[in-house]
Amino acid sequence: MDVSLFGRRVLFALLAISSLGFISCGNRYDLATEHGRRARIDDANIHLSKGECSAADEAINPLYASPYVDDEVRIVKASAQACYAGFSLFRFAANMASTSNIFQALAKSLDDNAIGRTKLYAAVDVLTQSGVVMNSVQRSRAVNTFMVFLNFGVISAIQRVYGAPSSTGAQGAAISYPGGMSNVDGCAFAGAFSFITDSYAISDLNDSTTQGAISSLNTVCTTATGGNCNLINRDRTICDGANAASTAAGNVVGGVDAAW
C-alpha cells in the first residue's frame, strides 16, 4: 500500500473539513441571513446580561448600521447605550414599587456616573431615530414601552447631577432652570415627562406600579405648565434659557423641586 498517498488523502480530507468549519464560523454573522442577524442580537443580549456595555455595543453595531436594522435591533442598541449609565429596568421597577415619592424612587435608581445622562440621551436618539420619530404613533408598542423606562432614567440621571440625592433618594440640593441646569439638561428633563406620557399611551404597560408613577409625573407637569404633558417640547436642543420651551422646562423643574 502506498502509505504516502494514503497520508496525503487523509491530510486533504482534514484540510477540507477544517475549511468547512472555518467557512461555517465565518458565516455565523452573515447579516444577509436570519441566523447571522440573530447571532448579533443574541451576542449583544448575553453581554448586556453580564453588564458588559462596550462588548454589547460592539456586538450590535454592525447590525444597527446595516439595512437590516429594525425595532428589536434599536432596542438592543439603546440598551447598550443605557448600560453605560448603569440603567436597570428591574431596579427602576423595584424602587417605584417600594418608595412612595416618585422622585426619590427615580433618584436612587441610578448610581453617580459622569457619562450617565449623555449615554441615556444617546439611547433616546436611537429610539427616536435621531429625532425622526418623536411621537408615539410613529413607533411600535415595544419601542414605546422601553421609551417609558428610558426616560425615567433621563429624569433620574439629571436629578443625580443637580439634586445631590442621598442613598434613599432624598433631595440634597435645590434644582432650578434657567440658572441651575444647562439648557440641554433643562430641556431634556422636561422633555422626558412628555416622552413618558406620550409613549405610555401606546405601550404594553398596564401594571398598577407604572400607572401610579405616570399619574404622579402627570400631576407635577400639568400643574407646573397648566397644560397637557404631551405638549411639552421633546427636543433637548431647543431651550436657550429665554424662549417658550425654556419657560415650560423651568416650570417643570420647579414643580419637581417642590414635589421631591
Side-chain angles (χ1 to χ4, degrees):
M1 181 174 66
D2 187 344
V3 177
S4 61
L5 178 59
F6 176 78
R8 285 197 296 273
R9 287 173 177 170
V10 170
L11 177 61
F12 292 151
L14 290 173
L15 287 174
I17 293 171
S18 298
S19 177
L20 287 172
F22 176 78
I23 293 172
S24 175
C25 291
N27 284 343
R28 179 170 182 255
Y29 297 109
D30 182 358
L31 299 183
T33 68
E34 174 63 27
H35 177 78
R37 296 191 291 274
R38 179 52 50 187
R40 281 286 173 191
I41 293 170
D42 290 347
D43 279 7
N45 281 328
I46 289 171
H47 289 304
L48 285 172
S49 71
K50 299 176 181 178
E52 298 168 349
C53 311
S54 180
D57 206 26
E58 290 176 7
I60 200 63
N61 274 342
L63 183 53
Y64 177 67
S66 79
Y68 304 103
V69 61
D70 59 15
D71 282 346
E72 182 180 14
V73 175
R74 292 186 185 98
I75 290 173
V76 175
K77 171 65 175 178
S79 298
Q81 293 298 302
C83 172
Y84 288 104
F87 177 90
S88 167
L89 186 151
F90 300 107
R91 185 177 179 185
F92 274 86
N95 286 335
M96 286 190 295
S98 63
T99 308
S100 58
N101 184 299
I102 180 61
F103 298 108
Q104 288 187 23
L106 293 178
K108 68 179 183 178
S109 294
L110 286 179
D111 298 321
D112 288 327
N113 187 323
I115 65 170
R117 69 191 190 285
T118 59
K119 288 297 186 179
L120 288 167
Y121 293 167
V124 170
D125 289 345
V126 170
L127 296 188
T128 63
Q129 299 178 45
S130 298
V132 174
V133 292
M134 297 291 278
N135 303 316
S136 61
V137 294
Q138 300 171 291
R139 302 186 296 264
S140 68
R141 299 182 74 87
V143 171
N144 283 328
T145 297
F146 194 70
M147 277 287 283
V148 170
F149 282 94
L150 189 57
N151 280 281
F152 283 153
V154 169
I155 295 172
S156 175
I158 296 173
Q159 283 182 275
R160 296 202 66 81
V161 171
Y162 296 101
S166 68
S167 60
T168 65
Q171 186 176 15
I175 58 174
S176 63
Y177 176 78
M181 296 181 186
S182 69
N183 287 330
V184 168
D185 291 341
C187 243
F189 192 76
F193 282 76
S194 187
F195 270 128
I196 289 170
T197 302
D198 182 53
S199 299
Y200 180 71
I202 307 179
S203 72
D204 293 317
L205 297 168
N206 55 20
D207 62 285
S208 60
T209 297
T210 307
Q211 288 175 349
I214 300 295
S215 177
S216 295
L217 295 180
N218 281 341
T219 296
V220 170
C221 68
T222 54
T223 300
T225 62
N228 190 328
C229 291
N230 271 343
L231 300 180
I232 297 174
N233 161 68
R234 297 175 198 145
D235 183 348
R236 66 178 178 273
T237 68
I238 295 299
C239 290
D240 62 6
N243 58 13
S246 301
T247 299
N251 289 337
V252 172
V253 172
V256 173
D257 186 64
W260 184 3

